[in-house]
Each structure stands twice: as structure tokens, then as C-alpha cells.
Amino acid sequence: MRALAALSRFVGNTFAYWVLLYAVLAFLFPSWFIGLRILIVPLLGLVMFGMGLTLKLDDFSEVMHHPWRVALGVIAHFVIMPGMAWLLCQLFHLPPEIALGVILVGCCPSGTSSSVMTWLAKGDLALSVAISALTTLLAPLLTPALIWLLAAAWLPVSFLEMFWSILQLVILPIVLGVIAQRLLRERVQFVVDVLPLVSVISIVMIVCAVVAVSQAKIAESGLLIMAVVILHNSFGYLLGYYTGKLFKLPLAQRKSLSLEIGMQNSGLGAALASAHFSPLAAVPSALFSVWHNISGALLSTYFRKMEPEVMVAEDKPVVR
């Protein structure tokens, strides 16, 4: 059991490498992975169920202690990422299905690995978890509403169908996970210990399925989509960090905002695109999943080395 838990920690810490490795394999040998497409929705549900197993009431204590910081993170997330997605689609004159896919991933809640990156970056973990949880719980309303508002110019979007999809894909599994945790308590601890392994395998399989199904389209326009994905993710980090700076948040909170805003639940984006649009619309989410785990690991390493500013007020040092 300890060996399995240790393996789970190792795989969780090397998440980015596994996603990148298998994305390349799926591109080179799509026939190996194309059958996984039927598992996209169940796999995302499994990841969300695992998230529910780890959620506790204490995770929302930050909302009570510093509600304005959490509100700032949630509002900034649902303004910056959808807004940047729409702007990039306009600047690059993206084809309709790709544009919809970029906007779709931009309208998703915070990424499932953003809290891990925040912890590695020595950010404010409580703030990160609260923002992740609230953006996820608000996703059934805000994600389809924003997609309808921003993407309807490219392709028809059904708010109601996406609302029900997100309830089934996200909220229902999370609620079941929370109930299981409350009923079984310590008996689920072993499951929690191996959750990083389960989550990594699930996300890797989702990415492989999307890449395999869309291999020809990626070969044709993959560089353009990748450039947009990198810009989208980078501006999310940058604007998230400077939003915290604008509101004079301490360094740890600025790190949290940067990572929470820049990292998206790209698994949800891929599942929604596959269910409601086309495999091509899922490609930006798949590439985002590959890229943001690499960039998040690099940024958290950089953030970890940053020293908090020390401001002198009268005769007492104040750490920010």
C-alpha cells in the first residue's frame, strides 16, 4: 500500500512529463489511442469524484476569513481567461471550430492541478483551494453563459444543454465524492492517497483520446493552435499576478491568483467540446492540458525562489 501511495506521489509530481509523453505518442500513433474517445466523459467524472473526496468544509474557511480576496480571484478568473480567449480569436482570425475551442477552454473553471502548483510555489494554498472550489461550483452557470455570449458568433451554442452537461460532469461527481467522504471517513484515506495517480492517468487518457481523434487537424494547424494556447496561458498568469499587485495583495496571494487564473480545467473543456461540438473544437483544450502543466511547473519553480518584500513601517518590519 505504501509503495502504491509513493508511486502516486511520484506520478503526481511528474504530471507534466506524462501528459507531454503520451500526447506525442497519441499524435505519432493515433490508432493506439483512438478507442479511448468513448471514455472522455467517464474519466472526467472520475477526476471530479476524486476532487469531492478531498474537499472539506475547512477548504471554504478562506471565504469567511478573506471573502474579498476569494471574490477577486473568482471574478478575475471568469473575466481574464474568457476575455483573452475572445481577443486572441479575433487577432488570429481563427476558424470557427478552433475559435470555439479556445473560448471554451477560456470559460472553464480553474485547473485541477493549480492548487498543487500553488503549494510548490509557496503561494497561499487556502486561497487557491477556495478559488478552485468556487469557480468549479459556479461553472454550471457561468461557463455555458460565457461560451454562449462569446462564441455564438462562430457556431450555435445551447446554454441549457451545456448547463446540464456540466452538472452531470462536474457537480454530481463532486457531490457524490463529498458524501462518500462524510460517510466513510478514514476508510477513504487510502483512495485519497492514490488520487494523484488516478487523476494523472485519467487526464492523460483524455488528452490521448482528443489528440488521436484530431491528429490530422493538429498536423495541419497545430502550430497556430499551440501559439494561441501558449499566449492565452501566459497572459492568464501575467494578468492574474498583476491583478493581485493592483489590489496590493501580499506576494503569496499574488502567486495564488496567477496560477489559479492561468490554469484551466482543460479536461472539462475537452469533454464539453467532444460532447457538443466536434473533435477539432476539443484540440485547444488538449493542447492547453499539455502546455499548462509544463508552464505551471516552470512558473511555480520561479515563484518558489521569489523572496517576499519587506517594508519598514515605523520601527517594525512588515513582510508582504
Side-chain angles (χ1 to χ4, degrees), residues 72-186:
L72 175 64
V74 172
I75 293 169
H77 182 90
F78 282 119
V79 170
I80 289 171
M81 293 306 280
M84 281 306 309
W86 181 86
L87 184 60
L88 288 167
C89 291
Q90 297 288 343
L91 289 174
F92 284 87
H93 304 289
L94 297 179
E97 288 179 298
I98 296 174
L100 190 141
V102 171
I103 288 174
L104 201 157
V105 73
C107 296
C108 285
S110 294
T112 51
S113 55
S114 56
S115 296
V116 177
M117 300 301 179
T118 299
W119 175 72
L120 292 172
K122 295 185 177 178
D124 187 326
L125 186 57
L127 178 62
S128 173
V129 170
I131 293 171
S132 282
L134 279 180
T135 56
T136 301
L137 293 177
L138 290 170
L141 285 173
L142 292 183
T143 295
L146 287 166
I147 293 168
W148 176 82
L149 179 68
L150 298 174
W154 281 278
L155 288 171
V157 176
S158 171
F159 170 85
L160 198 57
E161 286 181 10
M162 296 193 74
F163 170 77
W164 285 115
S165 284
I166 298 174
L167 279 183
Q168 294 168 47
L169 287 170
V170 176
I171 302 302
L172 180 59
I174 287 176
V175 169
L176 291 174
V178 170
I179 292 171
Q181 179 210 130
R182 298 286 291 177
L183 292 177
L184 300 175
R185 298 186 183 276
E186 12 347 279

Side-chain angles (χ1 to χ4, degrees), residues 3 87 95 110 169 220 253 275 309 311:
L87 184 60
S110 294
L169 287 170
E220 181 183 325
Q253 279 82 49
E309 306 99 322
M311 300 180 62

